[in-house]
Amino acid sequence: MPRILQFLQLNSTNAYAKTHAKELEDGAVICAEEQTAGRGRFNRKWVSAQGGLYFSVLLKPNNTQHLPNLTQLMALCICQTVRELGAPAQLKWPNDVLVNNQKLSGILSEVVLEQNRFYALVIGVGINIRQADLSQVGQPAVSLEALNIHIRQQDMLARLLERFNARLPKALAEGFASFGEEYKALFPYIGRTVCITAGGGKTAGTVRDISSAGTLLLHTQQGLQEFSIGDMNA
Ligand code: BTN
């Protein structure tokens, strides 16, 4: 089991993992009690005060065919772990975890390149555990504590890593297909009208399905469109 590097404070666990990718082993986990420059998707800031769980997993897989699906696997593992703890968590494509339509967790995955070639994947996870104040988050958010679930950050991390590492080999080999049915069972948006922001544009439509590759299939006025990346708003 790779080591967990635990810090009191970092600018960003993703930034640390990327900077030190060379000397870190495959599967290394970087965790910080707080981040001074936590990063979210689409260049957003991730408010990272004490009380949250902030960590990054560094992966150096030989098979890079299914990389985006590893982030989806992490989201599924978070969702399942939270449900096991008693909260009705659901997935918002591609990798947010919500409880009662409030954000509990987000993931930012980043690639490390060497000489323009893939070297490593960093999966950065933020989970609201017991922060005193989530009003700065910029969207409806909730913590486990507010849901009456009392768990220490390290116990949450241990549960999560056990689940993720157990599923990882199959996901690396088979991609979304290895967990797609479980993902879709926790994804409540099929048949609902949503708006996808991707590539600088917005597309409204009805969610038809998540494909066997983990992409979102949206029925729009222009026909069926497929999204492999984006932000979904319902
Ligand atoms: C999102 O926008 O929903 C993704 C948020 C990801 C935040 C995590 S916290 C640990 C890791 N380090 C970062 O700077 N960001 C990710």
Side-chain angles (χ1 to χ4, degrees), residues 22-233:
K22 266 287 167 63
E23 66 256 36
L24 291 168
E25 61 187 318
D26 177 39
V29 177
I30 315 301
C31 187
E33 285 189 21
E34 61 182 330
Q35 300 182 116
T36 53
R39 309 202 290 237
R41 296 176 72 222
F42 303 108
N43 284 326
R44 289 189 284 243
K45 178 180 153 82
W46 184 259
V47 179
S48 307
Q50 277 199 359
L53 173 59
Y54 314 108
F55 71 93
S56 301
V57 180
L58 181 86
L59 297 174
K60 299 178 178 177
N62 294 322
N63 179 359
T64 57
Q65 205 187 335
H66 303 295
L67 288 185
N69 303 127
L70 304 183
T71 308
Q72 290 175 306
L73 174 66
M74 180 62 87
L76 174 67
C77 291
I78 297 167
C79 198
Q80 291 177 333
T81 303
V82 171
R83 290 180 80 87
E84 205 173 71
L85 291 168
Q90 293 184 313
L91 291 164
K92 182 161 87 73
W93 181 88
N95 45 44
D96 280 355
V97 178
L98 308 186
V99 178
N100 304 328
N101 289 319
Q102 296 172 301
K103 187 151 168 169
L104 179 78
S105 169
I107 307 178
L108 172 67
S109 286
E110 299 183 80
V111 157
V112 182
L113 300 176
E114 189 180 59
Q115 288 170 351
N116 284 328
R117 297 187 62 182
F118 172 84
Y119 180 72
L121 176 70
V122 175
I123 303 178
V125 178
I127 305 179
N128 300 327
I129 306 281
R130 67 164 66 88
Q131 296 97 311
D133 179 17
L134 288 174
S135 64
Q136 304 301 310
V137 167
Q139 62 177 300
V142 71
S143 67
L144 288 180
E145 183 97 339
L147 295 164
N148 228 0
I149 293 172
H150 310 286
I151 185 166
R152 291 182 308 173
Q153 285 91 318
Q154 292 317 305
D155 293 338
M156 183 69 189
L157 178 61
R159 279 180 184 237
L160 201 48
L161 290 177
E162 191 181 345
R163 191 181 285 266
F164 179 75
N165 287 332
R167 309 288 303 261
L168 183 60
K170 213 161 188 296
L172 277 169
E174 296 170 18
F176 192 74
S178 73
F179 59 87
E181 288 309 314
E182 289 165 82
Y183 183 103
K184 280 164 60 169
L186 296 174
F187 175 76
Y189 296 91
I190 291 173
R192 282 170 59 178
T193 303
V194 301
C195 182
I196 305 293
T197 307
K202 287 183 190 291
T203 313
T206 308
V207 179
R208 167 79 72 81
D209 204 355
I210 305 274
S211 75
S212 57
T215 57
L216 185 91
L217 301 177
L218 193 69
H219 188 74
T220 73
Q221 282 188 337
Q222 286 73 41
L224 198 63
Q225 291 193 31
E226 181 174 9
F227 293 89
S228 54
I229 195 164
D231 210 16
M232 194 185 90
N233 283 295

